[in-house]
Structure formats: structure tokens, C-alpha cells
């Protein structure tokens, strides 16, 4: 009888939540990965031994943990990570150790594993990341009264204890990759046409604050994979203005043009990439592929 009640409870919980916890999937190479909502039990699986190793090896600051214990309870947190991602493997266990030691109420925590496959790049099966600008993982978003107050992107600026203390103390906290955060807001407020009129000005002003060509490249690919094609092309074009000496930015722009079937522009972009990096085999292969499309 008890067994029957347990089964009914589990089934009921599943239909209420709408999804299972700790779903195990495989990436394009057949390697195990987690997808969707997870909790700490997910990392008891032997495929994710990195979690315990990094959790156990992280030494927290007891004094700061004590300062966090009360105020952190006024927040809810959403954490997005990839079980396939090196940064997530390093940072997620540290984050968990800090909130465990603060006795953070886990009902106020939502942890979501995202995909790595190109067709679902940094996306979860149920779309929890939509509208949240999850361009890098891990990303930890802090909410108070249902409003986002800050986020830690990819890794803390100091460490999780000090960064979280800054956030819950109400002090100004800027995450890593502030150029992406700024540009994301601009893309929500203005049309592409309006932004194109400001493109040269944007390139000059943002170049000073970017962390290199990969900052906008990663963001552009997130937009491209989520089928926000016009925005993706704009971001890649902007990046070529900021880094006209980098082959990878023209490579990425060429891929975006190719995806939108603008083959002449794609070819032009890949030709520029090849001049900057004549030995890149992928660039050479794409040029051949594009020429075939044009000549059909």
C-alpha cells in the first residue's frame, strides 16, 4: 500500500511540475549531459564526478558566510549551467558550497542545465532561459521581490562569497561582459535600423570595455542559434568593426550571412577571413561551399 502511495505521489509531482528533475541526455558526440531542471542529486551520477571534487576542494570564507546567512534568504536565485562546460564544472560546485553553508532555502533556488548542440545552443528543453539573455554559462541571476537585481556571469569578479555579499548589500554590481549586457538592452529598445545608424559610434565606444572579440562572437552565436537572425547579423557586423584584424570575427559573420542565404556577402566575409588567416581549413572549405551555392 505504501509503495502504491509513493508511486502516486511521484506521478502527481511530475504532472504538477511539468517536467522531471535531473534528466540525463547525450550531446552530439554521445557524451552524457544533464538537461533542464536539476538539483544537487544530479551530480551523484558517476558521469559528473567533477562536482564532488570541486565542491570538496573549495574553501569558503567563514566570516563572509556568517554575514550572508540572514540577508540571502530574502532572494531567489536562478542558475543556468552546462554539465559539458568547463566554466560550469569549475564554478557551479563553488556556488553550491557557498549557498549550502548559508543554509539557503533550496525552494528559492532554480538550477537549469542547458544544451550544447547547435540547434539548441545554451537552451533548456522547457525554455526557462528565454528572455533572460543567457549567452554564457554558468549564469547566476539574483531576484528580490520577483525583480532581477544582479547576475554573476561565467565566474565571480572576486569569489562567490564576496560577490554575493556585494549584491545582497544593495551595492552596485556589474557582471562580466558588460558590453553584451548593454547591447542586449539596446536591441530590446531600438530597431536594427536605428542601431545601424549608430554602428560606428557604438563600435568606438564599446571597444574600450569589451573583453575581446569572443565576447560579442559568443553573444552573436546565441542569437543565431535561437533564430534571431537579424540581430545576430548586426552583432557580428559590429564585431568586425571593433576587431577588423581578427579572422574569427569575419568567419562568424560569414557563417551568419550563409545561414541567411546571403551568399555574396558570406563569400566576401570569408575572403576577408582568409586574408587574415590563410591556413584555416574551415574558412577554405566554406569558401568552396559558398561558391557552389552561388553557381547553382
Amino acid at each position: 500500500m505504501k509503495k502504491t502511495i509513493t508511486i502516486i505521489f511521484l506521478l502527481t509531482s511530475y504532472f504538477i511540475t511539468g517536467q522531471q528533475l535531473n534528466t540525463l541526455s547525450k550531446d552530439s558526440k554521445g557524451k552524457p549531459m544533464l538537461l533542464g531542471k536539476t538539483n544537487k542529486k544530479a551530480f551523484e551520477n558517476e558521469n559528473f564526478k567533477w562536482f564532488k571534487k570541486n565542491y570538496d576542494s573549495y574553501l569558503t570564507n567563514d566570516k563572509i558566510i556568517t554575514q550572508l546567512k540572514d540577508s540571502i534568504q530574502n532572494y531567489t536565485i536562478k542558475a543556468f549551467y552546462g554539465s559539458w562546460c568547463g566554466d560550469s564544472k569549475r564554478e557551479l560546485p563553488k556556488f553550491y558550497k557557498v549557498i549550502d553553508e548559508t543554509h539557503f532555502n533550496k525552494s528559492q533556488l532554480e538550477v537549469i542545465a542547458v544544451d550544447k548542440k547547435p540547434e539548441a545552443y545554451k537552451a533548456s528543453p522547457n525554455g526557462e532561459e528565454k528572455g533572460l539573455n543567457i549567452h554564457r554559462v554558468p549564469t547566476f541571476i539574483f531576484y528580490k521581490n520577483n525583480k532581477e537585481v544582479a547576475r554573476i556571469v561565467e565566474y565571480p569578479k572576486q569569489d562567490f562569497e564576496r560577490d554575493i555579499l556585494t549584491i545582497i548589500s544593495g551595492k552596485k554590481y556589474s557582471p562580466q561582459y558588460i558590453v553584451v549586457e548593454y547591447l542586449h538592452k539596446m536591441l530590446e529598445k531600438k530597431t536594427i535600423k536605428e542601431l545601424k545608424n549608430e554602428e560606428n559610434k557604438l563600435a568606438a565606444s564599446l571597444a574600450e570595455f569589451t573583453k575581446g572579440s569572443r565576447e560579442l562572437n559568443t553573444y552573436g552565436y546565441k542569437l543565431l542559434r535561437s533564430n534571431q537572425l537579424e540581430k545576430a547579423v548586426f552583432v557580428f557586423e559590429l564585431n568586425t568593426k571593433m576587431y577588423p584584424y581578427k579572422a574569427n570575427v569575419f568567419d562568424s559573420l560569414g557563417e551568419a550571412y550563409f545561414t541567411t542565404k546571403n551568399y555574396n556577402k558570406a563569400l566576401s566575409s570569408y575572403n576577408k577571413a582568409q586574408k587574415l588567416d590563410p591556413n584555416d581549413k574551415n574558412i577554405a572549405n566554406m569558401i568552396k561551399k559558398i561558391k557552389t551555392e552561388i553557381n547553382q
Side-chain angles (χ1 to χ4, degrees):
M1 182 66 180
K2 287 183 179 179
K3 187 176 180 180
T4 303
I5 292 172
T6 301
I7 292 170
I8 292 171
F9 174 77
L10 290 172
L11 288 171
T12 302
S13 298
Y14 171 79
F15 286 113
I16 289 173
T17 59
Q19 69 175 105
Q20 287 179 308
L21 278 174
N22 307 331
T23 299
L24 198 61
S25 183
K26 289 184 179 181
D27 64 19
S28 56
K29 294 181 179 178
K31 293 182 179 180
M33 67 175 176
L34 292 161
L35 278 182
K37 290 184 180 180
T38 62
N39 60 22
K40 203 173 169 185
K41 286 186 178 295
F43 307 107
E44 294 173 5
N45 186 300
E46 64 177 7
N47 292 297
F48 311 114
K49 291 179 180 178
W50 48 265
F51 183 90
K52 186 177 188 305
K53 177 184 176 183
N54 293 335
Y55 183 98
D56 291 344
S57 65
Y58 185 62
L59 301 177
T60 57
N61 185 313
D62 293 341
K63 289 183 180 179
I64 298 181
I65 291 292
T66 300
Q67 295 179 66
L68 293 175
K69 282 184 176 178
D70 292 331
S71 296
I72 197 173
Q73 309 303 332
N74 297 321
Y75 292 78
T76 57
I77 305 171
K78 284 186 180 180
F80 293 86
Y81 74 100
S83 62
W84 41 268
C85 165
D87 293 316
S88 296
K89 291 178 183 180
R90 183 186 66 244
E91 303 298 340
L92 185 67
K94 296 177 185 178
F95 166 80
Y96 254 112
K97 190 160 189 179
V98 170
I99 63 168
D100 280 350
E101 292 191 1
T102 64
H103 306 295
F104 185 68
N105 186 344
K106 297 305 190 296
S107 68
Q108 295 166 209
L109 173 67
E110 192 174 5
V111 182
I112 300 112
V114 297
D115 209 332
K116 71 176 292 190
K117 294 190 288 292
E119 65 272 18
Y121 186 55
K122 292 176 184 172
S124 60
N126 289 286
E128 288 92 349
E129 82 293 341
K130 289 181 179 177
L132 296 179
N133 189 26
I134 306 301
H135 58 96
R136 287 182 182 260
V137 287
T139 291
F140 307 89
I141 308 176
F142 291 75
Y143 296 87
K144 190 172 186 180
N145 300 323
N146 297 317
K147 182 180 179 181
E148 179 180 339
V149 294
R151 60 174 61 193
I152 298 172
V153 179
E154 202 168 55
Y155 54 91
K157 300 180 97 172
Q158 297 185 74
D159 53 45
F160 278 109
E161 299 97 302
R162 289 179 177 84
D163 281 32
I164 293 173
L165 183 61
T166 297
I167 290 168
I168 68 176
S169 297
K171 298 176 182 177
K172 184 178 180 181
Y173 181 85
S174 298
Q176 310 287 353
Y177 309 108
I178 58 172
V179 169
V180 169
E181 298 299 326
Y182 175 80
L183 195 55
H184 179 73
K185 289 176 182 177
M186 290 298 99
L187 285 166
E188 288 184 328
K189 291 179 181 178
K190 297 185 177 184
T191 65
I192 296 296
K193 185 178 180 180
E194 288 172 327
L195 288 172
K196 272 189 164 296
N197 290 332
E198 303 173 19
E199 194 170 26
N200 290 333
K201 183 180 177 182
L202 278 171
S205 60
L206 297 181
E208 181 182 351
F209 302 100
T210 186
K211 287 183 174 292
S213 63
R214 293 186 181 277
E215 178 168 354
L216 286 189
N217 245 26
T218 298
Y219 180 49
Y221 275 114
K222 175 59 184 175
L223 294 169
L224 190 67
R225 303 303 186 222
S226 58
N227 210 34
Q228 299 179 66
L229 303 181
E230 190 179 19
K231 290 181 178 179
V233 168
F234 173 75
V235 170
F236 286 131
E237 286 176 342
L238 181 63
N239 213 22
T240 62
K241 289 184 177 294
M242 292 167 67
Y243 295 96
Y245 51 88
K246 290 273 193 177
N248 69 304
V249 300
F250 289 101
D251 184 326
S252 299
L253 177 58
E255 184 177 343
Y257 284 142
F258 183 81
T259 301
T260 57
K261 298 184 179 181
N262 194 333
Y263 298 128
N264 288 322
K265 282 191 174 183
L267 182 60
S268 175
S269 190
Y270 274 111
N271 282 334
K272 290 176 183 177
Q274 192 172 55
K275 285 182 181 179
L276 293 165
D277 189 357
N279 299 319
D280 190 294
K281 292 181 180 179
N282 177 67
I283 293 172
N285 289 334
M286 283 303 300
I287 288 173
K288 289 179 182 177
K289 190 174 182 179
I290 294 165
K291 286 180 177 178
T292 300
E293 291 290 344
I294 291 172
N295 293 325
Q296 280 183 353

